[in-house]
Amino acid sequence: MFTGIVVERGRVVGEPAASGQGGTRLVLAHSHTVAERLEIGASLAVSGVCLTVTEQAAAGDCATSRVELSAETLARTNLGSLAAGSEVNLEPALRAGDPLGGHWVQGHVDATLALLARDDDGEHSTFTFELPVEQARYVVEKGSVCLDGVSLTVAERHDDRFTVALIPHTLAVTTLGARKPGERLNFEIDVLAKYVENLLAARGLVEAP
């Protein structure tokens, strides 16, 4: 479980490589501070995708973690486009007693959404994303969404799109500051919306998802 509060930006070391078992392996460089919160088998959110750490190492001023991407992960997320030097948002799993600064995030990406427009106003930005009909019922104004691992609040919601407002801190510490229209970001629906829908469907109050 995560919160959508990015700890730092990591970097892909070397080109992604086939694992020999049908997946793809990534080596991520990050701080020793992040490494202290990880161990073999630990969960790590990489741009909003929950992955398992399979190896760790120290390399001078930084540490590295190896993770493996399954075919399902490659098909459903944007991680297949990563290359050597690509930056990713990192968040170790939530620990008991940690503050819940964002919202409940599982790291289970529902889809990738296209960034339709970016409106920069000084050091602030407003991003407009497409809203496919399959996800539209889960997105509400002032509700929470997770985009590339960042917990954000929906500023406006329309039939086919929605906007989020980004403050300078978010633009500076996450990869969102470098995002451009046309790029696709990992999108996770607030899991509470799914549970509510499922409970109502079981009682015949709404159609089953």
Side-chain angles (χ1 to χ4, degrees), residues 6-77:
V6 171
V7 172
E8 66 179 53
R9 295 195 305 270
R11 178 175 49 84
V12 176
V13 179
E15 293 296 332
S19 66
Q21 299 174 314
T24 299
R25 289 176 178 168
L26 291 179
V27 177
L28 305 172
H30 49 71
S31 69
H32 291 289
T33 301
V34 168
E36 290 171 358
R37 294 183 56 178
L38 301 174
E39 59 185 14
I40 305 302
S43 294
L44 176 66
V46 180
S47 289
V49 184
C50 180
L51 300 174
T52 300
V53 175
T54 59
E55 291 183 21
Q56 286 187 286
D61 293 336
C62 69
T64 61
S65 294
R66 176 177 287 180
V67 295
E68 184 160 342
L69 312 179
S70 67
E72 167 71 7
T73 299
L74 293 170
R76 192 176 286 269
T77 75

